[in-house]
Amino acid sequence: MRIQLCVVGRLKVGPERSLIDDYLKRFDRIGRGLSLGPATVSEVEDRKGGGMGAEAVLLKRAVPSGARLCVMDERGKAMSSPAFSEMICGWRDQGAQDAAFVIGGADGVDPELRESADNVLSFGKMVWPHMLARVMLAEQLYRAAAIAAGTPYHRA
Ligand SMILES: C[S@@+](CC[C@H](N)C(=O)[O-])C[C@H]1O[C@@H](n2cnc3c(N)ncnc32)[C@H](O)[C@@H]1O
């Protein structure tokens, strides 16, 4: 099952970008034997400044058709890492070819797009900058694959 991170804004080369690349590379490596991945990042940018609504149009286009959709939002459901791993493996076991994770821009994710998601997930009630949310999601994807593979990375 391919994984698409659909995000608003272009991330320049820097520490966040290196971490994302590193976690996604690790996810791909461990996910290969689990039919998970590859994970790719699709960055969209609303150059005309149309805000959340215009970003939602671009984000929807970046989501592969038929993909399981998970929107990241501070108002969403908090999940443990093992439960997150089970959710992803469950989608794979149901035969999903793609799963997409959406991270919004400065104004957040358009409510209509949020309501259309299979799941709305939260990293807690605090609001994080979108580039840090990307890093956290990339790490959780790697952790989810490590849990599914039974490696000792996750120790809880
Ligand atoms: C700067 S935040 C948007 C903030 C917010 N909705 C607002 O109105 O201030 C950018 C994106 O990062 C992600 N994000 C930030 N904090 C999050 C959290 N606690 N849980 C899940 N996603 C989060 C969401 O996808 C959000 O759309």
Side-chain angles (χ1 to χ4, degrees):
M1 181 179 73
R2 294 175 293 262
I3 305 278
Q4 186 90 8
L5 278 66
C6 304
V7 299
V8 175
R10 308 232 179 259
L11 196 55
K12 294 195 185 89
V13 174
E16 294 93 352
R17 177 78 178 272
S18 307
L19 278 168
I20 293 162
D21 291 348
D22 183 46
Y23 284 129
L24 295 185
K25 208 184 291 165
R26 292 202 223 175
F27 169 80
D28 285 350
R29 210 177 297 139
I30 204 165
R32 223 168 279 141
L34 302 166
S35 303
L36 292 175
T40 47
V41 181
S42 186
E43 295 181 315
V44 307
E45 201 166 25
D46 170 35
R47 294 219 173 83
K48 290 181 188 151
M52 216 197 271
E55 286 167 3
V57 173
L58 300 173
L59 285 167
K60 276 188 224 162
R61 263 186 229 151
V63 172
S65 105
R68 296 290 200 279
L69 178 60
C70 182
V71 164
M72 304 309 299
D73 189 289
E74 65 278 9
R75 286 153 290 203
K77 181 168 81 178
M79 222 181 212
S80 69
S81 296
F84 183 65
S85 177
E86 274 171 32
M87 178 183 84
I88 292 170
C89 292
W91 287 344
R92 174 204 59 191
D93 296 344
Q94 290 158 15
Q97 298 297 304
D98 294 279
F101 292 85
V102 167
I103 293 178
D107 298 327
V109 177
D110 179 67
E112 200 188 306
L113 177 57
R114 196 171 59 225
E115 277 147 32
S116 73
D118 295 294
N119 232 323
V120 182
L121 279 193
S122 167
F123 290 124
K125 287 181 184 167
M126 287 179 174
V127 172
W128 297 90
H130 67 95
M131 62 280 221
L132 288 184
R134 283 189 210 187
V135 176
M136 287 153 79
L137 177 60
E139 196 276 343
Q140 284 302 306
L141 285 166
Y142 168 54
R143 187 176 292 274
I147 290 169
T151 75
Y153 178 70
H154 180 73
R155 302 178 198 94

